[in-house]
Amino acid sequence: MALVSADTKIAELLNELHQLIKQTQEERSRSEHNLLNIQKTHERMQTENKTSPYYRTKLRGLYTTAKADAEAECGILRRALDKIAEIKSLLEERRIAARMAGVYSDTDPPRKTMRRGVLMTLLQQSAMTLPLWIGKPGESPPPLCGAIPASSDYVAKQGDKVAARVKAVDGDEQWILAEVVSYNHSTNKYEVDDIDEEGKERHTLSRRRIIPLPQWKANPETDPEALFSKDQLVLALYPQTTCFYRALIHTPPHRPQDDYSVLFEDTSYADGYSPPLNVAQRYVVACKENKKK
Amino acid sequence: MSELKDCPPLKYYDFKPVDHVKVCPRYTAVLSRSEDDGIGIEELDTLQLELETLLSSASRRLRALEEQRQILTDWQDKKGDKRFLKLGKDPDLAASSRHSKPKKQKLDGKGSHGPGPGPGRPKSKNIQTKVQDFEFEVDPQDIPRNPKNDAPNRFWASVEPYCADITNEEIRVLEELLKPPDDEAEYYKIPALGKHYSQRWAQEDLLEEQREGARASDKKKSMMGPLSELDAKDVDALLKKSESQHEPPEDGCPFGPLTQRLLQALVEENIISPMEDSPIPDIPGKDDGAGTSPRSQGKAFSVPHTRSLEARIREELVSQGLLDSDERQGVGGESEDEVLAELQKRQAELKALTAHNRSRKQELLKLAREEMRKQELRQRVRVADNEVMEAFRRIMAARQKKRTPTKKEKDQAWKALKERESILKLLDG
């Protein structure tokens, strides 16, 4: 019932998205004309090597129109992206609802043991599709964008991915990738599920043991301050695993889709660090603890 | 030509839009689809990425446009102003995904464009960290840091000596002050009068004359034995003798001053004058013991009588109330009395002041000791406060962990509270 209505909603949204995309293209083709004009004027000015007032005013006018166009284009693009985010959240809700329903019916445990490869692909995809933060001019990146930490009273929502410090059976503490199930305000504790094994025991942990993963990627071209810098100590997800380990940043990403290149602390190597490995922005968080095994 | 020089550092950006056909295939595909086909859910991710790329380039274009426009506007407003920042080239505004090698130069959007900076200039978010040729023609004045507000610090520093705790050091200083000074006794001494200056001078004069005489006779004769023996001792004896025979009436009159005044008042004519004239002071030189003979002989009254007469007149005057009975003391007159009087007055004042100071210092010492005791108590109160806070925190933690505080914790809390109460009572009491 709920699932069906969700489907129709999704279909609706997809339609809207289609519209928006079409609009975007219209906008862009319109503004293209203007941009060409600017191009021509530039060329002329450069060849003649003279900036007469005539040119300047003309250029200024062109710039203003181009600016308006660009703003409009940005607006539409943002709406399109928001629409996509909306669809995605609906899908996510659907998934969680399905899972809950599945839990209550014992018959078919939902995707209990996923194959490793499948899990990894999922993780990869999730990292890739993390929305990129593109701020308007003058806006600064919000908390949980790239390296910007969450505000101190932030509570992770259901379905958020977090890094959780759990005590393994043998007493070892490890940071694992987990998904938030619920938060108990009176005790200030989270209930989280290990992403690897859904349906298995869930951990109840205090807030100190939970680090929310970033919800936006930081754009290196516009917001470099929201990225971790070289040699910063972080917790990064080891490739092909679901655990976080301490690492040093080797190189931050250059383009929005790039990954961090990090050096994991590894005593099996001579200098104590592994060779540089790539980890997506989504799976790199600040490391606050002091050296504890 | 000046125009050329003042040419604004316009960057001729490559405002080419993203070639979506190449860079955003999915996007293009979607575009070409009709309404009915719609978008599949699985395409969402790729679409998202592509749209993000487009948006990213569009925003950058937007920012660059804004900047350039601003430069133009500013330049127009301030033509001829040489202070322009040279801007670096923005890395390629064209599709970033295509051009991976950006032309790097730092773009500095901030700056003082002459006197009035262009309002609302968006800072270029361009960040290539490698700084290339980068010329500042303008001295990059930092926004003057807010002048540190120093006043409260200075105020508290100045008030500090008044509010600080009293230390043992200070108590000791007070005690020191209270000790009576050694030289106090000296101030109360009334030094002996010593020889009156007239006598001293007379003595000295006599000596001087004798010496001169000796020298003179020395010049004439070689021997002046008996005279030269006239040294100070003899001179003194001489003087004393002559003095003893001269009672108060130094100018020769044997009658006391009161007698003289009385008679003067009664008698019109200057009958006394011959009497005054006759006695010729013959202080120096007379070896004869009866130095008063010429005077006394010419008198009708005998010397002892004048004295008793003086005394009787005095008595009478005092009984009549015409004269105060207090005698002027001291030989030699008023001047000494005044000095003495002054001296005594000052001594009395000193005594009073010292007494007053002592009492004040003692009071201060008492208060200081009291305050020290209180300080100690206050210190203990502070410690007790901390204990109470600690107990409170423990109980709160217990409560948070959803368990009731143990008996031990409760006891601790109560103990801390009671202790604090008792100390406070002590303080107030």
Side-chain angles (χ1 to χ4, degrees), chain B residues 165-168 170-171 174-175 361-379 425-429:
Chain B
D165 282 348
I166 301 191
T167 63
N168 283 328
E170 275 138 17
I171 303 250
L174 269 179
E175 283 171 6
K361 281 181 205 163
Q362 262 160 355
E363 206 173 311
L364 189 60
L365 185 62
K366 190 163 68 94
L367 281 175
R369 287 209 180 106
E370 182 71 30
E371 186 62 30
M372 279 220 67
R373 200 174 60 79
K374 282 215 178 115
Q375 260 164 218
E376 210 174 310
L377 276 177
R378 261 183 243 133
Q379 180 73 8
K425 229 183 288 208
L426 268 177
L427 243 188
D428 292 333

Side-chain angles (χ1 to χ4, degrees), chain B residues 240-304:
Chain B
K240 278 209 187 66
K241 252 195 278 179
S242 54
E243 263 183 26
S244 57
Q245 312 199 344
H246 291 234
E247 289 285 13
E250 288 163 9
D251 48 358
C253 179
F255 297 104
L258 283 177
T259 330
Q260 285 178 41
R261 277 160 70 182
L262 189 59
L263 283 177
Q264 242 176 353
L266 293 172
V267 176
E268 288 298 320
E269 44 195 321
N270 215 354
I271 301 174
I272 309 176
S273 44
M275 276 195 271
E276 279 181 316
D277 281 342
S278 49
I280 299 165
D282 52 358
I283 302 170
K286 274 284 160 71
D287 275 328
D288 197 355
T292 56
S293 37
R295 267 184 298 124
S296 50
Q297 270 157 27
K299 288 234 186 70
F301 311 104
S302 57
V303 171

